[in-house]
Amino acid sequence: MEGMIVDGPGSFPTAVRCLPAKEDKYDGIEVDILKFPSSDVSAFEDSLRLSLEQWRSQKKKGVWLKLPIEYCDFVPAAIKGGFTYHHAEATYVMLNLWLGDGPCTLPANASHTIGVGAFVLNDKGEILAVQERYGLFKDKWKMPSGCLNQGEDIFAGAIREVKEETGIETEFVEVIGFRQSHGGAFGKSDLYFLCVLRPLTSTITVQTAELVDAKWVPLAEYKAQPYLSERKMLGRMLDVCIETSTAPARKGFKLENVQAGTKRAPQYFYNNTSQ
Amino acid sequence: MEGMIVDGPGSFPTAVRCLPAKEDKYDGIEVDILKFPSSDVSAFEDSLRLSLEQWRSQKKKGVWLKLPIEYCDFVPAAIKGGFTYHHAEATYVMLNLWLGDGPCTLPANASHTIGVGAFVLNDKGEILAVQERYGLFKDKWKMPSGCLNQGEDIFAGAIREVKEETGIETEFVEVIGFRQSHGGAFGKSDLYFLCVLRPLTSTITVQTAELVDAKWVPLAEYKAQPYLSERKMLGRMLDVCIETSTAPARKGFKLENVQAGTKRAPQYFYNNTSQ
């Protein structure tokens, strides 16, 4: 096969060419499969083999191969060529291959999902509470909560969840604490941010797809629910919310936009110091 | 082909059978490919087609298909059967297919990487600082920092990074703030937790693989570095550390093990209230 290998301008249709790729900042290679002129698996295999020879001789450290879902036929060939999976999203899988001498220094996959819960107390001392249609807490009153959307800020996610579940408009006061836990869905870890929000409206509209009911519950009645004594973390979280709601000095992390006043995108730093 | 379909005990070798699978708590299906008796792609395709017919008629909501890397040949067939990627780790890819009527309610992929940085001040008013061998800050003094390992706690990651980079032993005091940013590696978001640690030792051992140097730098000298004025977030983070180190009352989130005193695994809740 060596006689057929041609790489560079002037090659002819039957020749094997390197995969289209560019170098990254870290002495690595990013393959651009969209520019590969064939959907034939054996053509891909030949090009991959030639490319790897070349990248190894050039002392490249790592290779990234992003295969959009339409290129799924190339996945087995890449794995057999030495690649492993790195991560995937609905529309693509990212594979990589470490060519360096030492341990792999390629960046890790995302490790955490992020949840937000909202403590919303009105001026009658009632807490905004929901009853979920499914899951562990389905006959209990609990705080509105949910998962952050991709690219969503913590404060914005808390406001959105309250609005979606109950129709109540709120403004963000502070993050009053967070819990980290491990071994969740797919072996990932989770961070749950407990947010204090101030209600701006009072009339509830229940989102019935996920909820059975939502209402303003007197705080003492809410706190008396047995599951809050049985599940220490949830009971402790409520106590922290109650303590901070009655204390003269807030003890949470406020939202500080470090880019405020500039034309740059906001950059949020949550902390509890004077600004 | 219908005449060949047999599902259940007593089937014979040439028959098409459903994929081995179990039901999950949410009316979904989890395929157990390790129990599939063939590595033949067309056998998998036939079983997948039969299985999907059955699961649809049973009104199942979603199907999870975890394919270990050795089963990569089945990936194209699964995609052509309607699956999309959900996530991947080095040794497997997870695919899923939503069969429900409404919008997909299957849990999302992990969305965040987690970084930790450590503010370590000794009793001479010197800050523990490192110079990295690569990257944006390579000729600057900066705080020890790094990414959490899979399953690692924030406080433990901060202690580990300081120990690995400088040999200094520390104890965790508090998280003094955190920054959330979006659009990082692979489109994921990042949370960076700024931790205050108390040094327990003073002799530095520089980890030379990643670092050029590490030393105790007088705080005023460290703060005078021009990059801390140019990069507002980093300057602001330092100011918050300095403010809290001189203030009588700490303003960060302490570590509270909510399971303390029980035999259960620790559950950490970071907050700033009385316990």
Coordinates of all heavy atoms in Angstrom, one line a residue, chain A residues 69 75 84-95 109-113 150 184-189, chain B residues 30 63-69 75 79 83-97 106-111 150 188:
Chain A
I69 N -23.6 12.5 14.4 CA -24.3 11.3 14.4 C -24.5 10.7 13.0 O -24.5 9.4 12.9 CB -25.7 11.5 15.1 CG1 -26.3 10.2 15.6 CG2 -26.6 12.3 14.3 CD1 -27.4 10.3 16.6
V75 N -17.5 5.0 13.8 CA -17.2 4.8 15.2 C -16.4 3.5 15.4 O -15.3 3.5 16.0 CB -18.5 4.9 16.1 CG1 -18.2 4.4 17.5 CG2 -19.1 6.3 16.1
T84 N -10.6 6.0 22.2 CA -11.6 5.7 23.2 C -12.7 6.8 23.2 O -12.4 7.9 22.6 CB -11.1 5.6 24.6 OG1 -10.3 6.7 24.9 CG2 -10.2 4.4 24.7
Y85 N -13.8 6.6 23.8 CA -14.8 7.6 23.9 C -14.3 8.7 24.9 O -13.7 8.4 25.8 CB -16.1 7.1 24.4 CG -16.8 6.0 23.5 CD1 -17.0 4.7 23.9 CD2 -17.1 6.3 22.2 CE1 -17.5 3.7 23.1 CE2 -17.7 5.3 21.4 CZ -17.9 4.1 21.9 OH -18.5 3.1 21.1
H86 N -14.7 9.9 24.6 CA -14.4 11.0 25.6 C -15.7 11.5 26.2 O -15.9 11.5 27.4 CB -13.6 12.1 25.0 CG -13.3 13.2 26.0 ND1 -14.1 14.3 26.2 CD2 -12.2 13.3 26.8 CE1 -13.5 15.0 27.2 NE2 -12.4 14.5 27.5
H87 N -16.6 12.0 25.3 CA -17.9 12.3 25.8 C -18.9 12.3 24.6 O -18.5 12.1 23.5 CB -17.9 13.7 26.4 CG -17.7 14.9 25.5 ND1 -16.5 15.2 25.0 CD2 -18.6 15.7 24.9 CE1 -16.6 16.2 24.2 NE2 -17.9 16.5 24.1
A88 N -20.2 12.5 24.9 CA -21.1 12.5 23.8 C -22.3 13.5 24.2 O -22.6 13.6 25.3 CB -21.7 11.1 23.5
E89 N -22.9 14.1 23.2 CA -24.1 14.8 23.3 C -25.1 14.2 22.3 O -24.6 13.4 21.5 CB -23.9 16.3 23.1 CG -23.0 17.0 24.0 CD -23.5 17.0 25.5 OE1 -24.7 17.0 25.7 OE2 -22.7 17.0 26.4
A90 N -26.3 14.6 22.3 CA -27.3 13.9 21.4 C -26.9 13.8 20.0 O -27.1 12.8 19.4 CB -28.6 14.7 21.5
T91 N -26.2 14.8 19.5 CA -25.9 14.8 18.0 C -24.5 14.4 17.6 O -24.2 14.4 16.4 CB -26.1 16.3 17.5 OG1 -25.2 17.1 18.2 CG2 -27.6 16.7 17.7
Y92 N -23.7 14.1 18.6 CA -22.3 13.6 18.2 C -21.7 12.8 19.3 O -22.1 12.9 20.5 CB -21.4 14.8 17.9 CG -21.0 15.6 19.1 CD1 -19.8 15.3 19.8 CD2 -21.7 16.7 19.5 CE1 -19.4 16.1 20.9 CE2 -21.3 17.5 20.6 CZ -20.2 17.1 21.3 OH -19.8 17.9 22.4
V93 N -20.6 12.1 18.9 CA -19.7 11.5 20.0 C -18.3 12.0 19.7 O -17.9 12.1 18.6 CB -19.8 9.9 19.9 CG1 -19.4 9.4 18.5 CG2 -19.0 9.3 21.0
M94 N -17.6 12.3 20.8 CA -16.2 12.8 20.7 C -15.3 11.6 21.2 O -15.5 11.1 22.2 CB -16.0 14.0 21.7 CG -14.6 14.5 21.7 SD -14.2 15.4 20.2 CE -14.8 17.0 20.6
L95 N -14.4 11.3 20.3 CA -13.4 10.2 20.6 C -12.1 10.9 20.8 O -11.8 12.0 20.2 CB -13.4 9.2 19.6 CG -14.7 8.4 19.3 CD1 -15.3 8.8 18.0 CD2 -14.6 6.9 19.5
N109 N -14.0 15.2 31.0 CA -15.4 15.3 30.7 C -16.1 16.0 31.9 O -15.6 16.1 33.0 CB -16.0 13.9 30.6 CG -17.3 13.8 30.0 OD1 -18.0 14.8 29.7 ND2 -17.8 12.6 29.8
A110 N -17.3 16.6 31.6 CA -18.1 17.3 32.7 C -18.4 16.2 33.7 O -18.7 15.1 33.4 CB -19.3 17.9 32.1
S111 N -18.3 16.6 35.0 CA -18.4 15.7 36.1 C -19.7 15.9 36.9 O -20.0 15.0 37.7 CB -17.2 15.8 37.0 OG -17.1 17.1 37.5
H112 N -20.4 17.0 36.8 CA -21.5 17.3 37.7 C -22.7 17.8 37.0 O -22.7 18.5 36.0 CB -21.1 18.5 38.6 CG -20.2 18.1 39.8 ND1 -18.9 17.6 39.6 CD2 -20.4 18.1 41.1 CE1 -18.4 17.3 40.8 NE2 -19.2 17.6 41.7
T113 N -23.9 17.3 37.5 CA -25.1 18.0 37.2 C -25.4 19.0 38.3 O -24.9 18.9 39.4 CB -26.3 16.9 37.2 OG1 -26.3 16.2 38.4 CG2 -26.1 16.0 36.0
Q150 N -28.6 23.7 30.1 CA -27.2 23.9 29.6 C -27.0 25.4 29.4 O -27.8 26.2 28.8 CB -27.1 23.3 28.2 CG -25.7 23.3 27.6 CD -24.8 22.3 28.1 OE1 -25.2 21.1 28.2 NE2 -23.6 22.7 28.6
G184 N -24.5 9.8 41.5 CA -25.8 10.0 41.0 C -26.0 9.3 39.7 O -25.4 8.3 39.3
A185 N -27.0 9.8 38.9 CA -27.3 9.3 37.6 C -26.0 9.1 36.8 O -25.2 10.0 36.7 CB -28.2 10.2 36.8
F186 N -25.8 7.9 36.2 CA -24.6 7.7 35.3 C -23.3 7.8 36.0 O -22.3 8.1 35.4 CB -24.6 8.5 34.1 CG -26.0 8.7 33.5 CD1 -26.6 10.0 33.4 CD2 -26.7 7.6 33.0 CE1 -27.9 10.1 32.9 CE2 -28.0 7.7 32.5 CZ -28.6 9.0 32.4
G187 N -23.3 7.7 37.4 CA -22.0 7.8 38.1 C -21.5 9.2 38.3 O -20.4 9.4 38.8
K188 N -22.3 10.2 37.9 CA -21.9 11.6 38.0 C -22.2 12.1 39.4 O -23.0 11.5 40.2 CB -22.6 12.4 37.0 CG -22.2 12.1 35.5 CD -20.7 12.4 35.2 CE -20.4 12.0 33.8 NZ -19.0 12.4 33.5
S189 N -21.5 13.2 39.7 CA -21.8 13.9 41.0 C -22.8 15.0 40.8 O -23.1 15.4 39.6 CB -20.5 14.5 41.6 OG -19.6 13.5 41.8
Chain B
E30 N -34.0 -0.7 30.4 CA -32.5 -0.7 30.3 C -32.0 -2.0 29.7 O -32.2 -3.0 30.2 CB -31.9 -0.6 31.7 CG -32.2 0.7 32.4 CD -31.7 0.8 33.9 OE1 -30.9 -0.1 34.2 OE2 -32.1 1.7 34.6
V63 N -35.8 4.2 26.3 CA -34.9 3.0 26.3 C -33.5 3.5 26.4 O -33.1 4.4 25.8 CB -35.1 2.2 25.0 CG1 -34.2 1.0 25.0 CG2 -36.5 1.9 24.7
W64 N -32.8 2.9 27.4 CA -31.4 3.1 27.6 C -30.6 2.0 27.0 O -30.8 0.8 27.3 CB -31.0 3.3 29.1 CG -31.7 4.4 29.7 CD1 -32.8 4.4 30.5 CD2 -31.3 5.8 29.7 NE1 -33.1 5.7 30.9 CE2 -32.2 6.5 30.4 CE3 -30.2 6.4 29.1 CZ2 -32.0 7.9 30.6 CZ3 -30.1 7.8 29.2 CH2 -31.0 8.5 30.0
L65 N -29.6 2.3 26.2 CA -28.7 1.3 25.6 C -27.3 1.6 25.9 O -26.7 2.6 25.3 CB -29.0 1.2 24.1 CG -28.1 0.2 23.3 CD1 -28.2 -1.2 23.7 CD2 -28.4 0.4 21.8
K66 N -26.7 0.9 26.8 CA -25.3 1.2 27.2 C -24.4 0.2 26.4 O -24.5 -1.0 26.6 CB -25.1 1.0 28.7 CG -23.7 1.3 29.2 CD -23.6 1.1 30.7 CE -22.2 1.4 31.3 NZ -22.2 1.4 32.7
L67 N -23.5 0.7 25.6 CA -22.7 -0.1 24.7 C -21.2 0.0 25.2 O -20.6 1.0 24.9 CB -22.8 0.2 23.3 CG -24.2 -0.1 22.6 CD1 -24.2 0.3 21.1 CD2 -24.5 -1.6 22.7
P68 N -20.7 -1.0 25.9 CA -19.3 -1.0 26.3 C -18.4 -0.9 25.0 O -18.9 -1.3 23.9 CB -19.1 -2.3 27.0 CG -20.4 -2.7 27.5 CD -21.4 -2.2 26.5
I69 N -17.2 -0.4 25.1 CA -16.4 -0.1 23.9 C -16.2 -1.4 23.0 O -16.1 -1.2 21.8 CB -15.1 0.6 24.3 CG1 -14.4 1.3 23.1 CG2 -14.1 -0.4 25.0 CD1 -13.4 2.3 23.6
V75 N -23.0 0.3 17.4 CA -23.4 1.7 17.5 C -24.1 2.2 16.2 O -25.2 2.7 16.3 CB -22.1 2.6 17.8 CG1 -22.5 4.1 17.6 CG2 -21.6 2.4 19.2
I79 N -28.1 3.7 16.1 CA -28.4 5.0 15.6 C -29.4 4.9 14.4 O -30.4 5.6 14.4 CB -27.1 5.7 15.0 CG1 -26.1 5.9 16.1 CG2 -27.5 7.0 14.3 CD1 -26.3 6.9 17.2
F83 N -32.0 5.6 17.8 CA -31.3 6.1 19.1 C -30.5 7.3 18.8 O -30.0 7.6 17.6 CB -30.4 5.0 19.6 CG -31.1 3.9 20.4 CD1 -31.8 2.9 19.7 CD2 -31.2 3.9 21.8 CE1 -32.5 1.9 20.4 CE2 -31.9 2.9 22.5 CZ -32.5 2.0 21.8
T84 N -30.3 8.1 19.8 CA -29.3 9.2 19.8 C -28.3 9.0 20.9 O -28.5 8.2 21.8 CB -29.9 10.6 19.9 OG1 -30.7 10.6 21.1 CG2 -30.8 11.0 18.7
Y85 N -27.1 9.7 20.8 CA -26.2 9.6 21.9 C -26.7 10.3 23.2 O -27.4 11.3 23.0 CB -24.9 10.2 21.5 CG -24.2 9.6 20.3 CD1 -23.9 10.3 19.2 CD2 -23.7 8.3 20.4 CE1 -23.3 9.7 18.1 CE2 -23.1 7.7 19.3 CZ -22.9 8.4 18.2 OH -22.3 7.9 17.1
H86 N -26.4 9.8 24.3 CA -26.7 10.5 25.6 C -25.5 11.1 26.2 O -25.3 12.2 26.5 CB -27.6 9.7 26.5 CG -28.0 10.4 27.8 ND1 -27.2 10.5 28.9 CD2 -29.1 11.2 28.0 CE1 -27.8 11.2 29.8 NE2 -28.9 11.6 29.3
H87 N -24.6 10.2 26.5 CA -23.3 10.6 27.1 C -22.3 9.4 26.8 O -22.7 8.4 26.3 CB -23.3 10.9 28.6 CG -23.5 9.7 29.5 ND1 -24.8 9.2 29.7 CD2 -22.7 9.0 30.2 CE1 -24.7 8.2 30.5 NE2 -23.4 8.0 30.8
A88 N -21.0 9.7 27.1 CA -20.0 8.7 26.9 C -18.9 8.9 28.0 O -18.7 10.0 28.4 CB -19.4 8.7 25.5
E89 N -18.3 7.8 28.4 CA -17.1 7.8 29.2 C -16.1 7.0 28.4 O -16.5 6.4 27.4 CB -17.3 7.3 30.6 CG -18.3 8.1 31.4 CD -17.9 9.5 31.8 OE1 -16.7 9.7 31.9 OE2 -18.7 10.3 31.9
A90 N -14.8 6.9 28.9 CA -13.8 6.3 28.1 C -14.2 4.9 27.6 O -13.9 4.5 26.5 CB -12.5 6.2 28.9
T91 N -14.9 4.1 28.5 CA -15.1 2.7 28.2 C -16.5 2.4 27.6 O -16.7 1.2 27.4 CB -14.9 1.9 29.5 OG1 -15.8 2.4 30.5 CG2 -13.5 2.0 30.0
Y92 N -17.3 3.3 27.5 CA -18.7 3.0 26.9 C -19.3 4.3 26.3 O -19.0 5.4 26.7 CB -19.6 2.4 28.0 CG -20.1 3.4 29.0 CD1 -21.3 4.1 28.8 CD2 -19.4 3.6 30.2 CE1 -21.8 5.0 29.8 CE2 -19.9 4.6 31.1 CZ -21.0 5.2 30.9 OH -21.5 6.2 31.8
V93 N -20.3 4.0 25.5 CA -21.2 5.1 25.1 C -22.7 4.7 25.5 O -23.0 3.5 25.4 CB -21.1 5.3 23.6 CG1 -21.5 4.1 22.7 CG2 -21.9 6.6 23.1
M94 N -23.4 5.7 26.0 CA -24.8 5.5 26.4 C -25.7 6.1 25.3 O -25.5 7.3 25.0 CB -25.1 6.1 27.7 CG -26.5 6.0 28.2 SD -26.9 4.3 28.7 CE -26.4 4.4 30.4
L95 N -26.6 5.3 24.7 CA -27.5 5.8 23.8 C -28.9 5.8 24.4 O -29.2 5.0 25.3 CB -27.5 5.0 22.5 CG -26.1 5.0 21.8 CD1 -25.5 3.6 21.9 CD2 -26.3 5.4 20.3
N96 N -29.8 6.6 23.9 CA -31.2 6.5 24.4 C -32.2 6.8 23.3 O -31.8 7.4 22.2 CB -31.4 7.2 25.6 CG -31.4 8.7 25.5 OD1 -31.2 9.2 24.4 ND2 -31.5 9.4 26.6
L97 N -33.4 6.4 23.5 CA -34.5 6.6 22.6 C -35.7 6.9 23.4 O -36.1 6.1 24.2 CB -34.7 5.3 21.7 CG -35.9 5.3 20.7 CD1 -35.8 6.5 19.8 CD2 -35.9 4.0 20.0
L106 N -36.2 12.2 30.1 CA -35.0 11.5 30.6 C -34.0 12.4 31.2 O -33.9 13.5 30.7 CB -34.4 10.7 29.4 CG -35.4 9.6 28.8 CD1 -34.7 9.0 27.6 CD2 -35.8 8.6 29.8
P107 N -33.2 12.0 32.2 CA -32.3 12.9 32.9 C -31.2 13.4 31.9 O -30.8 12.6 31.0 CB -31.7 12.0 34.0 CG -32.0 10.6 33.7 CD -33.2 10.6 32.8
A108 N -30.8 14.6 32.2 CA -29.8 15.2 31.3 C -28.4 14.7 31.6 O -28.1 14.2 32.7 CB -29.8 16.7 31.5
N109 N -27.5 14.9 30.7 CA -26.1 14.6 30.9 C -25.5 15.6 31.9 O -26.0 16.7 32.1 CB -25.5 14.8 29.5 CG -24.1 14.3 29.3 OD1 -23.5 13.8 30.3 ND2 -23.6 14.4 28.1
A110 N -24.3 15.3 32.4 CA -23.6 16.2 33.3 C -23.3 17.5 32.5 O -22.9 17.4 31.3 CB -22.3 15.6 33.8
S111 N -23.4 18.7 33.2 CA -23.3 19.9 32.5 C -22.1 20.8 32.9 O -21.8 21.7 32.2 CB -24.6 20.7 32.7 OG -24.8 21.0 34.1
Q150 N -13.2 12.7 39.5 CA -14.5 12.1 39.6 C -14.8 11.7 41.0 O -14.0 11.0 41.6 CB -14.6 10.9 38.6 CG -15.9 10.3 38.5 CD -16.8 11.0 37.5 OE1 -16.4 11.4 36.4 NE2 -18.0 11.3 37.9
K188 N -19.3 23.0 27.7 CA -19.8 22.8 29.0 C -19.6 24.1 29.9 O -18.8 25.0 29.5 CB -19.1 21.6 29.7 CG -19.4 20.3 29.0 CD -20.9 19.9 29.2 CE -21.1 18.5 28.5 NZ -22.5 18.1 28.8

